[in-house]
Amino acid sequence: MTRAGRRRLLSSAVVLLCGAAVVLALIPLVFIFFYVIRQGFSSLNWDFFTKMPKPVGETGGGMANAMVGTLILIGIASAIAIPVGLVAGIYLSEYGGKSFASLVRFTADVLNGIPSIVIGIFAYGLAVMPVRRFSALAGGVALGFMMIPIITRTTEELLNLVPSSLREGALALGATRARASFSVMVPAALPGIMTGILVSLARISGETAPLLFTAFNNRFFSTRVDQPISSLTVQVYTYAISPYEDWHRQAWAGALVLVAMIFLFSILARVVTRRLERMHRT
Amino acid sequence: MTDAVMTTGVDTRVSPPQTALPERPPAEAPVSPPVAVRMRMETRKLSFFYGKNQALFEISLSIPEKSVTALIGPSGCGKSTFLRCLNRMNDIIVDTRVEGHVLLDGKDIYGPGTDVVDLRRRVGMVFQKSNPFPKSIFENVAYGLKINGLATRGQMPERVEQALRGAALWEEVKDRLHTSALGLSGGQQQRLCIARALAVEPEVVLMDEPASALDPIATQKIEELIYELKRNYTIAIVTHNMQQAARVSEYTAFFMLGRLVEYDRTEKIFTNPGQKITEDYITGRFG
């Protein structure tokens, strides 16, 4: 075989390998989607979204309380994590480089790697023990702590991508350092920062472990933040380990709703990014 | 002697021809030493250090009012660093140090009690690479006015138009003020940056190679603009382009290895430089 022929062969082999790896990576996703849809779709009906759970033995009912609960938990977590993560990220990028900033950066990375159950224990000690009651607030705190490092790091990284000539331009017009950050740098990095926030939302909305002993669960409809609250994930978990056939079906439906929700967040992240970017370019 | 020569006091100087630029303006003053003119900015024994590296060595130079002073010299000679000392832009670089004095209207801008934010409003800057904010054209120009509280919302459109006209950009953008500034061409972006700088009504405008990234036509527009601007503004411009320095400036300073080699009227520097090394540089023997 000629040299060129050998090179062509090797090249096609590598391309083939890469393709195979991609397929391999996508197989679990496809299977999960397929299986969850097949199992969950049949149990999905209007009641599932509007009705409350039925007592054991009765069939039917839904997870209305869990869906509202999940939204409330995400809301609390965002209210805590978005401001903190954003400002921390801005600090790291704009004032970072000193030893304190690198310490913050390192701890954010460590925090990001801590198992979610441990975060749950921390929130339990912080927000459950003192008042001796599980609450939506405690659940939100746990989820919020998981969001903070993600938001902080993406904000920092995206701000670092904004050319510093923009900052100089603002400073040269008489802007203060902070003004330049908030009025020029952050808006310029906004599409990416929004993506980071939505990705962190997608990540925490599927969490179960940190909620088990913070938000706990609630069979009833509740919107009070100082009371235990139901969430889709914990509800799915509870139903899935139960011995009842009807609950299993509902667990699948809940799982489908969860997957759809996260899918929606991801799509939203893309749409928002693209729209904001378009505003920037032309 | 002609009339033109008779009427030469700097302030009563005949205004430059409005048409195509490249020729020098009609011979104005017989080389009047910079001293006779009112100085807007002045440096006294200005030295600058990046860490342990000294980048500028005791530079004393005066920038006359309402004229263009060109800073030329080979790459790395410190002319940009010098320019950035004049509005304290180097402050934001860590581990740098300034010695000596920089006077703006007789007051030391490195002295205690200087409001850097106000200084940068008074001494505007245009950068080598145009750096419009990723906002609309209107917002770009309005930015400086807004942050400095120089105009109310109601006055904003008028001030923006004024600044854009001042930068000879108004006619090209008046129908698309609220589209992104990033949609403009390179030359338009640079003129937008000039408009942005003019909007806050600075006294001095520093330009760091404002046309080096532009094509010849856009460059010519910028040069014509500079020519217009010097009627109202004091301008210091760093340039690598000898012809440009000769075309737009009244005074030229030649820098070399962080030192000021020669500073005189532009005609003098380009026709009869006092130093051999200046002549070598200008005639392209090195650099």
Side-chain angles (χ1 to χ4, degrees), chain B residues 239-274:
Chain B
T239 178
H240 264 123
N241 181 331
M242 291 307 116
Q243 286 74 32
Q244 186 170 70
R247 282 192 297 261
V248 303
S249 72
E250 272 78 41
Y251 303 98
T252 298
F254 175 56
F255 282 71
M256 178 95 184
L257 300 172
R259 286 170 217 277
L260 178 61
V261 175
E262 196 171 349
Y263 180 41
D264 212 319
R265 291 199 67 100
T266 300
E267 297 97 325
K268 174 85 163 48
I269 294 272
F270 279 87
T271 55
N272 186 20

mmCIF file of all heavy atoms in Angstrom, chain B residues 239-274:
data_model
loop_
_atom_site.group_PDB
_atom_site.id
_atom_site.type_symbol
_atom_site.label_atom_id
_atom_site.label_comp_id
_atom_site.label_asym_id
_atom_site.label_seq_id
_atom_site.Cartn_x
_atom_site.Cartn_y
_atom_site.Cartn_z
ATOM 1 N N THR B 239 1.464 57.534 16.774
ATOM 2 C CA THR B 239 1.320 56.919 15.457
ATOM 3 C C THR B 239 2.613 56.274 15.000
ATOM 4 O O THR B 239 3.705 56.680 15.364
ATOM 5 C CB THR B 239 0.835 57.944 14.413
ATOM 6 O OG1 THR B 239 0.764 57.305 13.151
ATOM 7 C CG2 THR B 239 1.774 59.131 14.313
ATOM 8 N N HIS B 240 2.437 55.216 14.211
ATOM 9 C CA HIS B 240 3.585 54.544 13.614
ATOM 10 C C HIS B 240 3.809 55.029 12.205
ATOM 11 O O HIS B 240 4.760 54.667 11.543
ATOM 12 C CB HIS B 240 3.338 53.029 13.573
ATOM 13 C CG HIS B 240 3.934 52.335 14.732
ATOM 14 N ND1 HIS B 240 3.195 51.555 15.584
ATOM 15 C CD2 HIS B 240 5.192 52.317 15.215
ATOM 16 C CE1 HIS B 240 3.977 51.089 16.530
ATOM 17 N NE2 HIS B 240 5.186 51.531 16.331
ATOM 18 N N ASN B 241 2.850 55.839 11.773
ATOM 19 C CA ASN B 241 2.837 56.218 10.376
ATOM 20 C C ASN B 241 3.429 57.622 10.238
ATOM 21 O O ASN B 241 2.839 58.610 10.642
ATOM 22 C CB ASN B 241 1.376 56.170 9.908
ATOM 23 C CG ASN B 241 1.228 56.512 8.453
ATOM 24 O OD1 ASN B 241 2.020 57.259 7.903
ATOM 25 N ND2 ASN B 241 0.198 55.973 7.843
ATOM 26 N N MET B 242 4.649 57.691 9.670
ATOM 27 C CA MET B 242 5.352 58.966 9.559
ATOM 28 C C MET B 242 4.536 59.994 8.798
ATOM 29 O O MET B 242 4.426 61.150 9.192
ATOM 30 C CB MET B 242 6.684 58.788 8.804
ATOM 31 C CG MET B 242 7.728 58.005 9.531
ATOM 32 S SD MET B 242 8.001 58.673 11.156
ATOM 33 C CE MET B 242 7.466 57.306 12.089
ATOM 34 N N GLN B 243 3.944 59.539 7.666
ATOM 35 C CA GLN B 243 3.188 60.480 6.846
ATOM 36 C C GLN B 243 2.022 61.050 7.646
ATOM 37 O O GLN B 243 1.683 62.208 7.535
ATOM 38 C CB GLN B 243 2.656 59.799 5.576
ATOM 39 C CG GLN B 243 3.725 59.527 4.526
ATOM 40 C CD GLN B 243 4.615 58.361 4.920
ATOM 41 O OE1 GLN B 243 4.166 57.431 5.575
ATOM 42 N NE2 GLN B 243 5.887 58.407 4.538
ATOM 43 N N GLN B 244 1.433 60.152 8.443
ATOM 44 C CA GLN B 244 0.307 60.610 9.232
ATOM 45 C C GLN B 244 0.743 61.690 10.223
ATOM 46 O O GLN B 244 0.101 62.719 10.352
ATOM 47 C CB GLN B 244 -0.295 59.438 10.004
ATOM 48 C CG GLN B 244 -1.551 59.786 10.742
ATOM 49 C CD GLN B 244 -2.218 58.538 11.279
ATOM 50 O OE1 GLN B 244 -1.713 57.910 12.207
ATOM 51 N NE2 GLN B 244 -3.319 58.157 10.679
ATOM 52 N N ALA B 245 1.849 61.452 10.884
ATOM 53 C CA ALA B 245 2.354 62.440 11.835
ATOM 54 C C ALA B 245 2.601 63.756 11.106
ATOM 55 O O ALA B 245 2.223 64.827 11.577
ATOM 56 C CB ALA B 245 3.642 61.933 12.485
ATOM 57 N N ALA B 246 3.210 63.662 9.929
ATOM 58 C CA ALA B 246 3.514 64.870 9.172
ATOM 59 C C ALA B 246 2.244 65.578 8.733
ATOM 60 O O ALA B 246 2.179 66.798 8.713
ATOM 61 C CB ALA B 246 4.370 64.503 7.955
ATOM 62 N N ARG B 247 1.220 64.800 8.373
ATOM 63 C CA ARG B 247 -0.007 65.403 7.864
ATOM 64 C C ARG B 247 -0.826 66.086 8.941
ATOM 65 O O ARG B 247 -1.351 67.163 8.738
ATOM 66 C CB ARG B 247 -0.881 64.331 7.185
ATOM 67 C CG ARG B 247 -0.426 63.951 5.795
ATOM 68 C CD ARG B 247 -1.490 63.139 5.096
ATOM 69 N NE ARG B 247 -1.765 61.872 5.768
ATOM 70 C CZ ARG B 247 -1.258 60.704 5.377
ATOM 71 N NH1 ARG B 247 -0.465 60.636 4.344
ATOM 72 N NH2 ARG B 247 -1.553 59.604 6.020
ATOM 73 N N VAL B 248 -0.965 65.422 10.100
ATOM 74 C CA VAL B 248 -1.954 65.945 11.040
ATOM 75 C C VAL B 248 -1.388 66.793 12.175
ATOM 76 O O VAL B 248 -2.135 67.514 12.823
ATOM 77 C CB VAL B 248 -2.815 64.820 11.675
ATOM 78 C CG1 VAL B 248 -3.510 64.023 10.589
ATOM 79 C CG2 VAL B 248 -1.972 63.927 12.564
ATOM 80 N N SER B 249 -0.103 66.715 12.428
ATOM 81 C CA SER B 249 0.360 67.323 13.677
ATOM 82 C C SER B 249 1.089 68.653 13.488
ATOM 83 O O SER B 249 1.651 68.924 12.437
ATOM 84 C CB SER B 249 1.276 66.349 14.412
ATOM 85 O OG SER B 249 2.507 66.256 13.748
ATOM 86 N N GLU B 250 1.057 69.481 14.531
ATOM 87 C CA GLU B 250 1.859 70.706 14.561
ATOM 88 C C GLU B 250 3.195 70.439 15.223
ATOM 89 O O GLU B 250 4.204 71.051 14.903
ATOM 90 C CB GLU B 250 1.164 71.795 15.390
ATOM 91 C CG GLU B 250 0.214 72.643 14.615
ATOM 92 C CD GLU B 250 -1.093 71.922 14.394
ATOM 93 O OE1 GLU B 250 -1.548 71.266 15.350
ATOM 94 O OE2 GLU B 250 -1.622 71.967 13.292
ATOM 95 N N TYR B 251 3.159 69.554 16.224
ATOM 96 C CA TYR B 251 4.369 69.269 16.973
ATOM 97 C C TYR B 251 4.619 67.772 16.955
ATOM 98 O O TYR B 251 3.674 66.981 16.925
ATOM 99 C CB TYR B 251 4.225 69.751 18.428
ATOM 100 C CG TYR B 251 3.897 71.217 18.493
ATOM 101 C CD1 TYR B 251 2.584 71.633 18.661
ATOM 102 C CD2 TYR B 251 4.897 72.176 18.331
ATOM 103 C CE1 TYR B 251 2.268 72.978 18.683
ATOM 104 C CE2 TYR B 251 4.591 73.523 18.355
ATOM 105 C CZ TYR B 251 3.276 73.921 18.531
ATOM 106 O OH TYR B 251 2.961 75.250 18.535
ATOM 107 N N THR B 252 5.843 67.402 16.963
ATOM 108 C CA THR B 252 6.182 65.989 16.953
ATOM 109 C C THR B 252 7.253 65.708 17.994
ATOM 110 O O THR B 252 8.239 66.440 18.102
ATOM 111 C CB THR B 252 6.688 65.551 15.568
ATOM 112 O OG1 THR B 252 5.651 65.747 14.612
ATOM 113 C CG2 THR B 252 7.089 64.084 15.566
ATOM 114 N N ALA B 253 7.015 64.637 18.751
ATOM 115 C CA ALA B 253 8.000 64.199 19.738
ATOM 116 C C ALA B 253 8.513 62.839 19.305
ATOM 117 O O ALA B 253 7.729 61.947 18.985
ATOM 118 C CB ALA B 253 7.360 64.099 21.116
ATOM 119 N N PHE B 254 9.820 62.699 19.264
ATOM 120 C CA PHE B 254 10.407 61.426 18.869
ATOM 121 C C PHE B 254 10.929 60.704 20.105
ATOM 122 O O PHE B 254 11.774 61.216 20.825
ATOM 123 C CB PHE B 254 11.533 61.663 17.859
ATOM 124 C CG PHE B 254 12.275 60.410 17.484
ATOM 125 C CD1 PHE B 254 11.599 59.314 16.970
ATOM 126 C CD2 PHE B 254 13.655 60.319 17.653
ATOM 127 C CE1 PHE B 254 12.276 58.153 16.635
ATOM 128 C CE2 PHE B 254 14.333 59.162 17.316
ATOM 129 C CZ PHE B 254 13.639 58.085 16.803
ATOM 130 N N PHE B 255 10.392 59.519 20.321
ATOM 131 C CA PHE B 255 10.777 58.717 21.481
ATOM 132 C C PHE B 255 11.680 57.581 21.047
ATOM 133 O O PHE B 255 11.559 57.053 19.944
ATOM 134 C CB PHE B 255 9.548 58.089 22.151
ATOM 135 C CG PHE B 255 8.760 59.022 23.012
ATOM 136 C CD1 PHE B 255 8.016 60.031 22.443
ATOM 137 C CD2 PHE B 255 8.764 58.878 24.387
ATOM 138 C CE1 PHE B 255 7.280 60.893 23.239
ATOM 139 C CE2 PHE B 255 8.020 59.728 25.188
ATOM 140 C CZ PHE B 255 7.281 60.741 24.620
ATOM 141 N N MET B 256 12.559 57.196 21.962
ATOM 142 C CA MET B 256 13.455 56.082 21.651
ATOM 143 C C MET B 256 13.884 55.453 22.974
ATOM 144 O O MET B 256 14.368 56.157 23.859
ATOM 145 C CB MET B 256 14.657 56.674 20.899
ATOM 146 C CG MET B 256 15.694 55.694 20.540
ATOM 147 S SD MET B 256 15.444 55.107 18.871
ATOM 148 C CE MET B 256 16.748 53.914 18.869
ATOM 149 N N LEU B 257 13.646 54.172 23.098
ATOM 150 C CA LEU B 257 14.036 53.438 24.303
ATOM 151 C C LEU B 257 13.635 54.142 25.598
ATOM 152 O O LEU B 257 14.407 54.214 26.549
ATOM 153 C CB LEU B 257 15.567 53.213 24.304
ATOM 154 C CG LEU B 257 16.112 52.421 23.118
ATOM 155 C CD1 LEU B 257 17.635 52.441 23.130
ATOM 156 C CD2 LEU B 257 15.599 50.992 23.135
ATOM 157 N N GLY B 258 12.415 54.650 25.602
ATOM 158 C CA GLY B 258 11.905 55.249 26.824
ATOM 159 C C GLY B 258 12.383 56.665 27.085
ATOM 160 O O GLY B 258 12.104 57.229 28.133
ATOM 161 N N ARG B 259 13.146 57.227 26.137
ATOM 162 C CA ARG B 259 13.596 58.611 26.311
ATOM 163 C C ARG B 259 13.038 59.495 25.216
ATOM 164 O O ARG B 259 12.813 59.044 24.093
ATOM 165 C CB ARG B 259 15.141 58.667 26.275
ATOM 166 C CG ARG B 259 15.773 58.140 27.534
ATOM 167 C CD ARG B 259 17.274 57.983 27.340
ATOM 168 N NE ARG B 259 17.753 56.787 28.029
ATOM 169 C CZ ARG B 259 18.050 56.769 29.329
ATOM 170 N NH1 ARG B 259 17.964 57.855 30.041
ATOM 171 N NH2 ARG B 259 18.450 55.649 29.907
ATOM 172 N N LEU B 260 12.854 60.755 25.561
ATOM 173 C CA LEU B 260 12.432 61.730 24.572
ATOM 174 C C LEU B 260 13.684 62.243 23.876
ATOM 175 O O LEU B 260 14.530 62.871 24.495
ATOM 176 C CB LEU B 260 11.694 62.882 25.255
ATOM 177 C CG LEU B 260 11.231 64.017 24.341
ATOM 178 C CD1 LEU B 260 10.262 63.508 23.299
ATOM 179 C CD2 LEU B 260 10.595 65.115 25.169
ATOM 180 N N VAL B 261 13.808 61.916 22.592
ATOM 181 C CA VAL B 261 15.022 62.287 21.872
ATOM 182 C C VAL B 261 14.921 63.719 21.364
ATOM 183 O O VAL B 261 15.848 64.501 21.480
ATOM 184 C CB VAL B 261 15.258 61.330 20.684
ATOM 185 C CG1 VAL B 261 16.454 61.774 19.857
ATOM 186 C CG2 VAL B 261 15.437 59.917 21.187
ATOM 187 N N GLU B 262 13.765 64.024 20.811
ATOM 188 C CA GLU B 262 13.637 65.334 20.198
ATOM 189 C C GLU B 262 12.177 65.744 20.163
ATOM 190 O O GLU B 262 11.290 64.921 19.955
ATOM 191 C CB GLU B 262 14.196 65.280 18.763
ATOM 192 C CG GLU B 262 14.463 66.641 18.192
ATOM 193 C CD GLU B 262 15.213 66.561 16.859
ATOM 194 O OE1 GLU B 262 15.694 65.478 16.509
ATOM 195 O OE2 GLU B 262 15.294 67.588 16.185
ATOM 196 N N TYR B 263 11.947 67.021 20.374
ATOM 197 C CA TYR B 263 10.585 67.524 20.365
ATOM 198 C C TYR B 263 10.591 68.913 19.761
ATOM 199 O O TYR B 263 11.286 69.802 20.237
ATOM 200 C CB TYR B 263 10.038 67.557 21.791
ATOM 201 C CG TYR B 263 8.632 68.073 21.904
ATOM 202 C CD1 TYR B 263 7.659 67.706 20.979
ATOM 203 C CD2 TYR B 263 8.259 68.919 22.944
ATOM 204 C CE1 TYR B 263 6.370 68.173 21.088
ATOM 205 C CE2 TYR B 263 6.962 69.392 23.065
ATOM 206 C CZ TYR B 263 6.019 69.017 22.124
ATOM 207 O OH TYR B 263 4.737 69.471 22.232
ATOM 208 N N ASP B 264 9.847 69.062 18.693
ATOM 209 C CA ASP B 264 9.865 70.370 18.039
ATOM 210 C C ASP B 264 8.652 70.483 17.136
ATOM 211 O O ASP B 264 7.822 69.581 17.064
ATOM 212 C CB ASP B 264 11.147 70.523 17.218
ATOM 213 C CG ASP B 264 11.611 71.977 17.195
ATOM 214 O OD1 ASP B 264 10.760 72.869 17.060
ATOM 215 O OD2 ASP B 264 12.832 72.189 17.325
ATOM 216 N N ARG B 265 8.591 71.578 16.421
ATOM 217 C CA ARG B 265 7.530 71.705 15.434
ATOM 218 C C ARG B 265 7.687 70.601 14.398
ATOM 219 O O ARG B 265 8.799 70.195 14.062
ATOM 220 C CB ARG B 265 7.597 73.075 14.759
ATOM 221 C CG ARG B 265 7.217 74.231 15.685
ATOM 222 C CD ARG B 265 6.854 75.449 14.868
ATOM 223 N NE ARG B 265 5.637 75.244 14.116
ATOM 224 C CZ ARG B 265 4.442 75.697 14.493
ATOM 225 N NH1 ARG B 265 4.319 76.386 15.603
ATOM 226 N NH2 ARG B 265 3.373 75.469 13.760
ATOM 227 N N THR B 266 6.555 70.140 13.894
ATOM 228 C CA THR B 266 6.597 68.997 12.993
ATOM 229 C C THR B 266 7.460 69.259 11.753
ATOM 230 O O THR B 266 8.257 68.399 11.356
ATOM 231 C CB THR B 266 5.165 68.603 12.582
ATOM 232 O OG1 THR B 266 4.450 68.267 13.762
ATOM 233 C CG2 THR B 266 5.151 67.427 11.633
ATOM 234 N N GLU B 267 7.331 70.473 11.165
ATOM 235 C CA GLU B 267 8.151 70.768 9.976
ATOM 236 C C GLU B 267 9.621 70.599 10.284
ATOM 237 O O GLU B 267 10.378 70.041 9.495
ATOM 238 C CB GLU B 267 7.943 72.206 9.489
ATOM 239 C CG GLU B 267 6.560 72.534 9.019
ATOM 240 C CD GLU B 267 5.780 73.210 10.136
ATOM 241 O OE1 GLU B 267 5.992 72.853 11.319
ATOM 242 O OE2 GLU B 267 4.967 74.062 9.827
ATOM 243 N N LYS B 268 9.994 71.082 11.433
ATOM 244 C CA LYS B 268 11.393 71.030 11.825
ATOM 245 C C LYS B 268 11.860 69.571 11.946
ATOM 246 O O LYS B 268 12.888 69.187 11.383
ATOM 247 C CB LYS B 268 11.546 71.783 13.161
ATOM 248 C CG LYS B 268 12.911 71.699 13.786
ATOM 249 C CD LYS B 268 13.854 72.756 13.217
ATOM 250 C CE LYS B 268 15.089 72.975 14.081
ATOM 251 N NZ LYS B 268 15.781 71.791 14.504
ATOM 252 N N ILE B 269 11.049 68.769 12.644
ATOM 253 C CA ILE B 269 11.426 67.369 12.839
ATOM 254 C C ILE B 269 11.545 66.650 11.496
ATOM 255 O O ILE B 269 12.460 65.851 11.282
ATOM 256 C CB ILE B 269 10.370 66.651 13.708
ATOM 257 C CG1 ILE B 269 10.364 67.224 15.125
ATOM 258 C CG2 ILE B 269 10.581 65.148 13.726
ATOM 259 C CD1 ILE B 269 11.315 66.592 16.085
ATOM 260 N N PHE B 270 10.635 66.959 10.579
ATOM 261 C CA PHE B 270 10.640 66.204 9.333
ATOM 262 C C PHE B 270 11.568 66.786 8.258
ATOM 263 O O PHE B 270 11.933 66.093 7.325
ATOM 264 C CB PHE B 270 9.209 66.093 8.779
ATOM 265 C CG PHE B 270 8.428 65.007 9.448
ATOM 266 C CD1 PHE B 270 7.725 65.253 10.625
ATOM 267 C CD2 PHE B 270 8.433 63.715 8.941
ATOM 268 C CE1 PHE B 270 7.038 64.249 11.260
ATOM 269 C CE2 PHE B 270 7.747 62.702 9.569
ATOM 270 C CZ PHE B 270 7.037 62.966 10.746
ATOM 271 N N THR B 271 11.917 68.049 8.385
ATOM 272 C CA THR B 271 12.777 68.612 7.346
ATOM 273 C C THR B 271 14.199 68.823 7.827
ATOM 274 O O THR B 271 15.142 68.702 7.059
ATOM 275 C CB THR B 271 12.230 69.970 6.857
ATOM 276 O OG1 THR B 271 12.066 70.824 7.993
ATOM 277 C CG2 THR B 271 10.909 69.800 6.143
ATOM 278 N N ASN B 272 14.329 69.106 9.106
ATOM 279 C CA ASN B 272 15.651 69.446 9.574
ATOM 280 C C ASN B 272 15.831 69.020 11.031
ATOM 281 O O ASN B 272 16.010 69.849 11.920
ATOM 282 C CB ASN B 272 15.835 70.972 9.428
ATOM 283 C CG ASN B 272 17.252 71.367 9.769
ATOM 284 O OD1 ASN B 272 18.156 70.542 9.745
ATOM 285 N ND2 ASN B 272 17.435 72.650 10.116
ATOM 286 N N PRO B 273 15.758 67.703 11.263
ATOM 287 C CA PRO B 273 15.820 67.248 12.650
ATOM 288 C C PRO B 273 17.169 67.569 13.293
ATOM 289 O O PRO B 273 18.186 67.615 12.614
ATOM 290 C CB PRO B 273 15.611 65.738 12.543
ATOM 291 C CG PRO B 273 15.946 65.393 11.144
ATOM 292 C CD PRO B 273 15.676 66.594 10.314
ATOM 293 N N GLY B 274 17.117 67.804 14.583
ATOM 294 C CA GLY B 274 18.327 68.187 15.294
ATOM 295 C C GLY B 274 19.250 67.011 15.580
ATOM 296 O O GLY B 274 20.448 67.183 15.769
#
